Amino acid sequence: MPKKTTGYTDDHAKAGLDTKFPSIETFQNQFQAYEILVDDPEFTSVCPKTGLPDFGRITIRYMPRKRCLELKSLKEYLFTYRNLGIFQENIVNQVLDDVVKAANPVWAKVVGDFRPRGGISTIVEAFYPRPKNSKGPRG
């Protein structure tokens, strides 16, 4: 029996990752050992195969070291995804990489909680520092 496929390709999987994202501005941190949670409850992007919109919530939680994320530039950065064809997994990991590049936090976590499409919702989490040799949540 032939293998059934959805038609997604490796090109779909890489879609959006070659985009030139705007830089996220920062400002000098004045305190130590505290958390910042940034919440974007109206995040949108586009499915790279179907062109249909994806809706979700992106949260960025981090402990600043010397720099904090400037929110207006972060908002403009997140707007870049609005018309971009990109997988949800790639969004979360790209946002994490760009937050780390901009602010060099002590630690960071980005969560994408995407609304159901076709009855399935997705939650993607990415962490910095990235775990080495992770065997999943049960070790």
Side-chain angles (χ1 to χ4, degrees), residues 16-107:
L17 293 178
D18 59 353
T19 300
K20 173 87 168 109
F21 294 97
S23 61
I24 302 169
E25 295 177 22
T26 62
F27 61 91
Q28 185 176 9
N29 180 28
Q30 305 297 314
F31 300 96
Q32 293 182 357
Y34 67 101
E35 294 181 23
I36 298 173
L37 173 64
V38 180
D39 182 18
D40 180 355
E42 297 177 341
F43 181 86
T44 59
S45 62
V46 176
C47 172
K49 182 175 184 219
T50 66
L52 295 172
D54 283 328
F55 301 95
R57 167 177 244 131
I58 298 288
T59 55
I60 302 166
R61 182 182 297 269
Y62 70 103
M63 180 177 286
R65 194 181 310 270
K66 294 183 179 183
R67 309 295 301 171
C68 295
L69 301 174
E70 192 278 319
L71 295 181
K72 183 175 186 239
S73 71
L74 180 61
K75 179 173 62 172
E76 290 171 353
Y77 166 85
L78 292 171
F79 281 167
T80 304
Y81 291 90
R82 181 160 284 170
N83 297 312
L84 182 63
I86 186 170
F87 280 164
Q88 297 165 349
E89 297 83 354
N90 294 349
I91 293 166
V92 171
N93 283 283
Q94 183 69 53
V95 170
L96 177 67
D97 287 352
D98 290 341
V99 163
V100 169
K101 180 180 172 186
N104 187 27
V106 175
W107 57 262

